[in-house]
Amino acid sequence: MDYTVVSYAVYLPIATGVTIWVARTLSRNGRIFLADVFAGDDRLADAVNHLLVVGFYLINLGFVALWMRNDEQVGDVQGVFNALSYKLGTVLLVLGAMHLGNVYVLSRIRRRGTQEREPMAPSRPPVPAQGHVTPGPA
């Protein structure tokens, strides 16, 4: 039995499944932020959300496919677990980094949107007046 093929056969469905789960979770929960950012324009929020999900799939599934290759021959069951732990751990770290990047970008966009909708506060001097100075002769 070729254990390298076994490691591929186990790695690919797990990595793909986790990627799909993370993308769906981001899509479902990120839509709320996008709807708030776009001031309730649900069509625009849905369109941007869909574009973000497609980009997420392209980047992460591309990485999963590239990372599948194994330069060394896997010789036994222990080698299968070693290869899987290394590959799946790396995929999980990349997915986590992508998730944090998405959350950061969404929070920045949301913060900017809420600041634009807030009314401007009246400007006040930085220090209250402490007295009156009479101008000198010119």
Side-chain angles (χ1 to χ4, degrees):
M1 173 186 288
D2 188 4
Y3 288 107
T4 303
V5 174
V6 171
S7 70
Y8 292 162
V10 173
Y11 162 77
L12 195 56
I14 292 174
T16 303
V18 170
T19 300
I20 291 170
W21 174 73
V22 170
R24 287 184 177 171
T25 302
L26 290 174
S27 173
R28 183 176 52 251
N29 297 316
R31 192 203 172 283
I32 297 167
F33 286 104
L34 290 172
D36 185 46
V37 166
F38 296 119
D41 187 350
D42 290 336
R43 285 184 43 191
L44 183 58
D46 288 337
V48 170
N49 193 25
H50 184 74
L51 292 172
L52 287 172
V53 169
V54 169
F56 185 85
Y57 277 133
L58 289 173
I59 290 171
N60 286 296
L61 291 176
F63 177 76
V64 164
L66 287 173
W67 197 242
M68 187 171 71
R69 181 174 176 196
N70 200 0
D71 291 335
E72 297 178 13
Q73 197 71 9
V74 177
D76 56 1
V77 175
Q78 180 182 356
V80 170
F81 283 102
N82 288 339
L84 285 174
S85 67
Y86 181 73
K87 289 182 179 303
L88 289 174
T90 304
V91 168
L92 291 173
L93 287 173
V94 168
L95 286 171
M98 290 290 293
H99 169 67
L100 289 176
N102 280 339
V103 169
Y104 176 74
V105 168
L106 288 174
S107 68
R108 292 286 308 255
I109 292 171
R110 184 170 184 258
R111 186 178 311 134
R112 185 181 316 141
T114 56
Q115 287 175 347
E116 289 174 358
R117 287 191 298 261
E118 289 179 0
M120 295 291 290
S123 61
R124 288 186 260 152
V127 178
Q130 297 175 356
H132 180 71
V133 177
T134 308

